[in-house]
Amino acid sequence: RDGLLLGVKPNDGEQWSGTFAPGALRANGGRCVFATADADALGILVDGASYLVSTADPRTWAMVDEDEVVHVRPIVERSMILYGTRTYLVAYSGLKKLWQTERLVIDELTLTDAGPDTISGTGAPDTNETFEVDTETGIVRSKKPLWIPVDK
């Protein structure tokens, strides 16, 4: 599958169209367009690649750092969009990156709750990993078991 072709007609300004390249999750990734807390910005997810684009000026855009976004959740009370990769979280408000966590799990990050105060989740089923993150700051409150890489 190729990129996603999108046409945008902003409330103020000229209509424009753009093609958004797919990410690394070509076979398993989702595709969606979503509103953000900024009325002049759109979120776009294409097979793991996630973009934030100004509706008024498509030359003003940002790409979420990771090419393997698997979760997108709005947190309306904080005017933010939460992005989950397979191992960590990133939060944006409009086109501005607010924070990024450290690696939270070995693999298969799953969100169990994404509220205005706390974000929680798990890792791959066979790891018994859990985590809790402060929604406002992105600071990890707890992470169990503590995964420590071993150098060979």
Side-chain angles (χ1 to χ4, degrees), residues 11-100:
N11 289 333
D12 297 319
E14 294 188 28
Q15 183 172 336
W16 58 269
S17 62
T19 302
F20 297 87
L25 301 177
R26 291 176 190 253
N28 299 318
R31 293 176 173 214
C32 65
V33 178
F34 51 92
T36 69
D38 181 346
D40 294 323
L42 283 177
I44 300 152
L45 179 65
V46 186
D47 302 329
S50 192
Y51 304 88
L52 294 162
V53 183
S54 166
T55 57
D57 181 5
R59 296 169 295 186
T60 303
W61 62 281
M63 187 169 188
V64 175
D65 294 336
E66 184 59 39
D67 195 33
E68 296 186 356
V69 173
V70 293
H71 303 282
V72 178
R73 297 266 183 100
I75 302 180
V76 176
E77 300 88 345
R78 297 264 180 214
S79 297
M80 71 170 52
I81 302 287
L82 178 68
Y83 298 89
T85 71
R86 295 177 63 86
T87 59
Y88 64 90
L89 301 172
V90 183
Y92 277 79
S93 181
L95 300 176
K96 181 182 176 197
K97 183 177 180 178
L98 300 174
W99 51 258
Q100 177 177 323

Side-chain angles (χ1 to χ4, degrees), residues 115-143:
D117 300 315
T118 304
I119 301 161
S120 57
T122 62
D126 59 344
T127 64
N128 295 321
E129 294 174 298
T130 62
F131 63 86
E132 187 174 286
V133 174
D134 182 277
T135 304
E136 182 179 8
T137 64
I139 293 172
V140 178
R141 292 182 182 158
S142 68
K143 183 169 71 165

